[in-house]
Amino acid sequence: MKGDLHMTVETKSESQILTIGVGGMTCASCVARVERALKKVPGVADATVNLASEKATVRFENAVGVDSLLGAIERAGYEPRREGVVFEVSGMTSGADATALELLLRDQPGVTGASVNIDTRRAAVSFLPGTIDVRDLKSAAQNAGYELREQADELEDRQAAGQAREQSALRRKWTVAGVAGAVLMASGLDFGFSFLRDFLTVQEILTGMFIVALPVQLWAGWQFYALTWKTLRHRTADMNTLIALGTSAAFIYSTIVTFWPSLFESAHRAHDHLLGDRPPVYYEASVIIIALILFGRWLEAKAKGSTAGAIKRLIGLRARTARVVREGREIDVPVDEVVLGDVVIVRPGEKVPVDGLVVEGRSSVDESMLTGESIPVEKELGARVYGATINKMGVFKMEATRVGSQTALAQIIRLVEEAQGSKAPVQRLADVVASIFVPSVLVIAAFTFVLWSLVGPEGAVIYATLNAVAVLIIACPCALGLATPTAIMVGTGKGAESGVLIRSGAALETAHKLRTVVLDKTGTITEGTPRVTDIVPAAGWSEDQALRLAAAVERGSEHPLAGAIMGASRDRGIDVPDAGDFEALSGLGIRATVEGRAVVFGNVRLMRQEAVDVSGLEARGEALTRSARTTVYLAVDGKPAAVIAVADTVKAGAAEAVASLHRLGIQVVMLTGDNRATADAVASQVGIDDVIAEVLPEQKVDKVRELQAGGRIVAMVGDGINDAPALAQADLGIAIGTGADVAMEASDITLMRGDPRGISTAIALSKATMRTIRQNLFWAFFYNILLIPVAAGILYPVFQGEGVPGGLGWIFGDYGFLNPMLAGAAMAFSSVSVMFNSLRLRGFRAPVASAVAGVATSGAQPASVPT
């Protein structure tokens, strides 16, 4: 996964999903316009545009050309973003080579331009990210006999560089506009104007103010005019239209007063002593409004970079190079050049470059970046390792099994990007409002101008103009468009950092409504692997002696019980002898000879059949059975030796997870195919009261439906293939990341660790995110509902009699009309406040700290994220 992640493609059966970076969007109206343009393309099934991430996600039939989608965006007045890369080229000897390579690169699918220079030995290529990547370009060139090598500076994060350039340009513009505005404001005040009058005439002063304001209007404010022109060509309008109209009205009015004052002779205020017989000018209002809006956009750009911080941090985790063994030599290559089957050497302190299997050596690996587990995981021969994790000690060799976009980290990045680009259902209200908002504001502004032109105080045309400007400026729907996507971006990013992969905004919204969580027992509440829990030796025997003989007769068996016995013997370092005369007794156990002694290992019925008196152990065995353990008796030479209990043990964090869910007011139900006694015993250990036991795999869906029929929002949590249908049926499917890929594919949320405490983390994060969204939407709506009438002059009757109190004059002037400069400041503040309110989610803390911070949970492995 290279550089600027502007576009990715995912193929699903007969359709594709394409994510395209879109430049030039500034408000919710822009979002609606791009969506409409994309949906009009024949073959497009759906399109979703996210203002905060500045990306469009399109689902379309395979027959639809990518160019038609890009063209739709361009025709709507916006810029589909392309990526560029510069290569150093080896293998060229003449101009003919350069021409051939250039044609070759241009012919690659997804390449939009290529230029090869024989003198500098460089090739510049622009392409659509996702349709082709740097690896493909290198491979195509290599097959033709050329070698492409990225320049060092091209290895930097190009998206971050682009954002830095955007922020730098905005900072220059608002700084210049702010300085010019301060000069103009000082010139218009009594002391400033009086000082200038000692040297200049009124006409010269006004002309100077015009000269100062003009560059700001045309340079700093040019982007508003350019975008307005694009929208007007398509018979639409957006917030740029409002800004362009508002600032232009103030500037044009002031220009007319400067050079053609006679046109307003009947409109000026008689008591205006600064300009004598001229009406006032508002150059400073136009310039300062531009400065404030650009300042707000600069802050927004910085905040947007912060909302995407999770993606940046994930991208930054990738290794840059890998040491591979090729032709018997160890060489360092860029990580993108590692291919499947390569043997990679990983030394202490290095990042694992790609996903693979350990083929030589052993070590411990810090996988906290994937799972949140802070304790390193031991890796031996055959163990799976993941790219971007850190080798703590020891050298090992690994075989690359997943590279490029197939690594776990790359797929996590893709899933998080998809979630951040999705919309929550709550966004629909904002979309509907935004679609009619700008036209409505234009109507309100026009009505305001006409009204105050007819009934305003002396100088009515001036006040009508200023009030209309204030309405246009203050009503920009930026905050409305940012309210939901910024919160979703931060929330899903925070989830990824906590080991909780949330697939969509809809899943994030559903999680906060949950009233019932259904937990599959095996693999969710329990470890999913039987283990020896108790060894009760008979008189004259030790635990290790009994386990040694039990392991001898179980060696080679594929029964889960045998795995538990062999695992326990390995953990204790027991040297297991060979067994002979092996005989499996169906439904009973095993009979064998070990070191010349007759060994029988099985259930109580086998002991009775063999006439072994286990009365001394039977009471303890029955007690273990009642506590949901499988008990097996060991007899040697016809005498009882031990009773060994095996169970699928409860996960360390299961009880804490259930308690946390109860604290959130959520009903917890355990669903299992086990018998009632075992199910009840496990449920009692973790604090679950509602148990549905003895359920066949195909019946799990029916049980989820029954719970939903009671009017409850239900989440299903599971890890197995047989859980997938129930996960899909539930209102929210949550997959345990250590389980099957098909279960994770059917789920809405994936817990990267096997720790069930991540469930409450996901729900609590959902609640925090939705609370933030509601706050954002409230303030966005409240702001417009409250301030548009104020800008339109609704307070005029309030102050008409006694006038505006002195302390409020700088806000409402002489008659209660809102100062247009303050309208610009308020508009900028509304968007910035929404952004920073969303960023507060970065301080989210999981309700069960150890679910994220890393308590050892039997070496849980990170998820194999489904492709």
Side-chain angles (χ1 to χ4, degrees), residues 203-478:
Q203 182 61 47
E204 289 172 336
I205 294 172
L206 293 180
T207 302
M209 295 175 74
F210 168 81
I211 292 171
V212 171
L214 182 62
V216 174
Q217 198 76 31
L218 297 182
W219 172 65
W222 178 252
Q223 64 192 73
F224 305 125
Y225 293 110
L227 293 171
T228 296
W229 172 245
K230 287 183 179 181
T231 58
L232 291 178
R233 287 170 54 196
H234 296 89
R235 299 182 180 87
T236 58
D238 62 11
M239 68 162 287
N240 295 290
T241 309
L242 303 182
I243 296 169
L245 287 175
T247 57
S248 296
F251 179 79
I252 291 171
Y253 159 78
S254 299
T255 301
I256 293 173
V257 170
T258 300
F259 298 105
W260 302 280
S262 60
L263 296 178
F264 285 102
E265 283 181 354
S266 62
H268 75 279
R269 293 181 296 174
H271 62 276
D272 187 358
H273 62 280
L274 289 179
L275 299 182
D277 59 351
R278 296 187 190 219
V281 294
Y282 292 98
Y283 288 119
E284 77 280 5
S286 173
V287 170
I288 290 177
I289 286 170
I290 290 174
L292 288 170
I293 292 171
L294 290 174
F295 177 70
R297 289 200 176 174
W298 175 68
L299 290 177
E300 282 179 31
K302 292 176 69 68
K304 281 180 181 178
S306 298
T307 61
I311 290 289
K312 290 181 180 178
R313 285 188 287 274
L314 288 172
I315 293 173
L317 292 172
R318 298 172 302 176
R320 294 287 191 181
T321 61
R323 173 160 290 195
V324 300
V325 179
R326 291 180 181 169
E327 299 178 354
R329 296 188 304 115
E330 297 181 11
I331 59 173
D332 290 327
V333 300
V335 71
D336 287 329
E337 295 182 7
V338 178
V339 298
L340 293 177
D342 267 345
V343 174
V344 182
I345 299 174
V346 186
R347 293 166 296 189
E350 291 183 338
K351 290 181 178 179
V352 178
V354 295
D355 295 2
L357 298 173
V358 176
V359 295
E360 183 181 320
R362 59 179 298 167
S363 184
S364 60
V365 176
D366 179 1
E367 296 181 339
S368 59
M369 48 72 59
L370 283 180
T371 67
E373 171 63 76
S374 62
I375 298 177
V377 180
E378 295 298 319
K379 301 293 182 180
E380 298 179 340
L381 188 67
R384 183 171 294 279
V385 290
Y386 300 89
T389 57
I390 300 174
N391 182 25
K392 301 298 288 186
M393 58 179 66
V395 179
F396 64 86
K397 292 182 180 180
M398 56 173 284
E399 178 185 349
T401 59
R402 287 185 178 182
V403 299
S405 62
Q406 298 304 310
T407 63
L409 177 64
Q411 293 176 63
I412 288 170
I413 291 172
R414 175 176 61 82
L415 290 175
V416 175
E417 282 192 306
E418 288 177 1
Q420 292 188 339
S422 66
K423 283 189 177 181
V426 71
Q427 176 71 20
R428 292 172 188 155
L429 174 61
D431 290 344
V432 171
V433 172
S435 66
I436 61 175
F437 190 79
V438 173
S440 300
V441 170
L442 291 173
V443 171
I444 294 171
F447 176 77
T448 299
F449 180 84
V450 172
L451 175 66
W452 294 114
S453 295
L454 298 175
V455 302
E458 184 180 359
V461 174
I462 298 172
Y463 292 114
T465 301
L466 295 180
N467 288 347
V469 168
V471 169
L472 290 171
I473 297 301
I474 206 164
C476 295
C478 303

Side-chain angles (χ1 to χ4, degrees), residues 14-84:
E14 299 301 319
S15 66
Q16 294 187 72
I17 295 178
L18 180 69
T19 302
I20 310 171
V22 182
M25 297 190 299
T26 55
C27 67
S29 299
C30 303
V31 169
R33 186 174 306 108
V34 176
E35 285 185 350
R36 284 196 301 270
L38 289 170
K39 289 177 180 178
K40 288 179 181 178
V41 177
V44 170
D46 191 30
T48 301
V49 179
N50 187 301
L51 176 61
S53 62
E54 297 181 323
K55 292 179 181 178
T57 301
V58 191
R59 183 163 56 86
F60 59 98
E61 297 174 359
N62 287 336
V64 177
V66 173
D67 289 343
S68 62
L69 301 176
L70 303 178
I73 295 173
E74 289 173 338
R75 287 191 298 275
Y78 301 92
E79 177 191 357
R81 289 176 174 164
R82 296 168 172 83
E83 184 176 338

Side-chain angles (χ1 to χ4, degrees), residues 123-135:
V125 185
S126 63
F127 60 95
L128 304 176
T131 58
I132 192 170
D133 61 20
V134 173
R135 183 196 297 267

